[in-house]
Amino acid sequence: MIPRIVLAAPSSGAGKTSIATGLIAALTDRGLAVSPHKVGPDYIDPGYHSLAAGRPGRNLDNWLVGEERIVPLFLHGARGADVAVVEGVMGLFDGASHPSVEPGFGSTAHVATQLRAPVVLVVDASAQARSVAAVVHGFATFEPTVRLGGVILNRVGSDRHEAILREALGSAGVPVLGAVRRITDLETPSRHLGLVPAAERSAEAVRTVRALGAVVGSSVDLDAVLRLARSAPDLDAAPWEPAAEVTRVEGRPVVAVAGGPAFTFGYAETAELLAAAGADVVTVDPLRDQALPPGTAGLVVGGGFPEVHASALAANVGLRTAIAELAATGAPIAAECAGLLYLASALDDEPMCGVLDAQAAMHPRLALGYRAAVALTDSVLAPAGTRVRGHEFHRTRTTPGAGPTPAWQWNAEGPEGFVQGGVHASYLHLNWAGSPGMASRFVAAAARVRAGVPS
């Protein structure tokens, strides 16, 4: 039994992330162990959640991991927690836009139903008064399987405005759990792919999270929120176990995982699966570390913002050289999106690792969406023909977009990505919990390198 609530909104831009982060921080300040979760593939919001809770923020995405894993992954992440806070994505009923799934698939409502969790609707009240009751009534009755347990009014202008809103909602049958005023100083800065990651803002992000916790703690009835969370019934499932998903490899090869401010996009389950498969997982920061960890036999470079840090990445010649040398040995290297850019010859004319004969640059068009992909080439991640579900999220392009032996193809698009020796580099983001065999295959390749066995 994990007490839990899902924070949703009528649409994007209502302030879900600020309210969710503030609520996590406020409950943590009470001495509670709070397990933070995010619906969908987003990497940035969980960073703020993690900062507020002091434990990893985890994603719950039906597309990426499959419906059967949502509850087990939730229970895995929430182990030892007193309460779980799940932040939704987009509007409550907005799901994956893909022809292979039904409307609403992967939506916040979908996940709330799977978790049997009550929903708290965060409503941006800045430009409405009595009409708020119609909005809440509609969301409360639209889908009977979703239990709307309360409302938090956000961006309230004044005491009078709050009184009008509360009076209007008195007949809606959904309790008001809090009213948060407009505080522009606490808005999190954004740029070309959304919010600036917490890891890049460092001390400033810590101050913002603390301030959000103070505001939500003084504006929201935390006792009422906890009572609502405790009304969620037991879940009839066992927690996800990484060790049960992989084949353990002997030899304990060192697998480095890129981190630091330039590479903030990653799912906690990836490192857990690598460790369960027998790897000694260590972190390397390409902005600061001059060399790979001793004995590195494999490297994972996830997503992030190398375009923001291109000059600093280029200046770290020692690590760029070490990665090129590692690739030359045939060691497994898995690179997603930002990792692809880092392995390229250049990014916005700044020299990168030079592992791939490709040039990367910023592009005016955003590439965004879920992808159903098939592997075109045998690689350290998967055999050719393997089908996976991932997502794409970037404003850069590489020239060429694919190598002689491409990584993937999705839908009617042409080949994408690069498979070259032990390197697998692509724009496709994957949650390895949805394809756990990748971890075993990758660690087995690293173990062969460590043992000196030719690939």
Side-chain angles (χ1 to χ4, degrees):
M1 169 56 186
I2 302 292
R4 58 200 179 274
I5 59 164
V6 173
L7 285 181
S11 66
S12 296
K16 287 192 307 293
T17 300
S18 294
I19 298 300
T21 302
L23 183 60
I24 294 165
L27 293 171
T28 301
D29 286 344
R30 276 198 167 194
L32 297 172
V34 184
S35 181
H37 303 261
K38 170 69 179 181
V39 177
D42 177 77
Y43 296 102
I44 298 177
D45 294 352
Y48 286 93
H49 299 168
S50 179
L51 202 57
R55 58 192 286 163
R58 294 177 182 267
N59 295 70
L60 299 170
D61 189 303
N62 279 284
W63 176 268
L64 295 183
V65 303
E67 292 180 275
E68 73 280 6
R69 290 189 178 94
I70 292 297
V71 174
L73 281 168
F74 169 79
L75 293 172
H76 168 70
R79 276 190 175 99
D82 299 309
V83 62
V85 175
V86 181
E87 181 192 343
V89 60
M90 301 185 294
L92 175 57
F93 300 106
D94 300 326
S97 178
H98 196 278
S100 67
V101 296
E102 295 294 323
F105 180 90
S107 66
T108 303
H110 186 185
V111 172
T113 301
Q114 290 170 298
L115 298 181
R116 304 176 70 191
V119 172
V120 175
L121 196 68
V122 177
V123 178
D124 179 358
S126 60
Q128 59 183 319
R130 189 166 179 265
S131 296
V132 71
V135 172
V136 173
H137 176 75
F139 275 83
T141 57
F142 181 75
E143 194 169 296
T145 59
V146 177
R147 177 162 71 101
L148 189 56
V151 174
I152 294 177
L153 301 167
N154 194 25
R155 299 172 185 148
V156 176
S158 64
D159 289 345
R160 175 61 179 155
H161 187 203
E162 180 179 341
I164 293 171
L165 295 168
R166 287 183 178 273
E167 182 180 1
L169 286 167
S171 59
V174 181
V176 177
L177 302 179
V180 180
R181 298 300 168 89
R182 286 193 289 260
I183 306 175
T184 56
D185 290 345
L186 293 182
E187 292 182 359
T188 304
S190 300
R191 60 174 179 235
H192 58 283
L193 290 182
L195 298 181
V196 176
E200 290 190 42
R201 298 178 62 212
S202 190
E204 181 191 3
V206 172
R207 287 193 295 271
T208 298
V209 167
R210 287 176 178 167
L212 286 170
V215 169
V216 170
S218 63
S219 306
V220 174
D221 186 343
L222 299 182
D223 291 327
V225 169
L226 288 170
R227 285 195 297 272
L228 180 63
R230 290 166 182 151
S231 72
D234 288 354
L235 291 168
D236 185 17
W240 180 77
E241 295 288 352
E245 300 279 348
V246 297
T247 301
R248 188 170 181 85
V249 176
E250 298 302 320
R252 201 162 180 79
V254 174
V255 173
V257 177
F263 297 96
T264 58
F265 293 4
Y267 299 120
E269 292 81 10
T270 298
E272 292 171 345
L273 285 165
L274 287 169
D280 183 6
V281 181
V282 294
T283 301
V284 60
D285 182 350
L287 287 178
R288 298 181 176 87
D289 294 330
Q290 299 294 312
L292 290 166
T296 294
L299 174 66
V300 176
V301 191
F305 290 100
E307 61 270 29
V308 176
H309 304 277
S311 296
L313 291 169
N316 190 351
V317 178
L319 187 63
R320 290 195 290 114
T321 301
I323 290 174
E325 291 173 349
L326 181 69
T329 70
I333 299 178
E336 287 185 355
C337 198
L340 164 63
L341 307 184
Y342 187 47
L343 295 188
S345 297
L347 169 58
D348 288 335
D349 297 324
E350 295 280 3
M352 293 290 112
C353 295
V355 172
L356 304 174
D357 186 14
Q359 302 286 321
M362 292 295 293
H363 192 275
R365 187 173 70 87
L366 174 65
L368 170 67
Y370 285 126
R371 307 288 183 249
V374 59
L376 296 181
T377 308
D378 285 346
S379 74
V380 295
L381 291 186
T386 300
R387 296 186 178 276
V388 298
R389 284 182 168 185
H391 71 101
E392 194 179 9
F393 184 45
H394 57 93
R395 282 191 187 274
T396 58
R397 295 292 186 275
T398 65
T399 305
T405 49
W408 306 109
Q409 183 165 347
W410 51 74
N411 302 329
E413 301 290 334
E416 189 276 341
F418 303 79
V419 174
Q420 179 180 300
V423 175
H424 184 287
S426 165
Y427 271 119
L428 191 67
H429 289 288
L430 299 170
N431 186 327
W432 288 14
S435 303
M438 289 184 174
S440 299
R441 189 176 177 94
F442 188 90
V443 176
R448 289 193 294 271
V449 170
R450 186 179 188 278
V453 178
S455 57

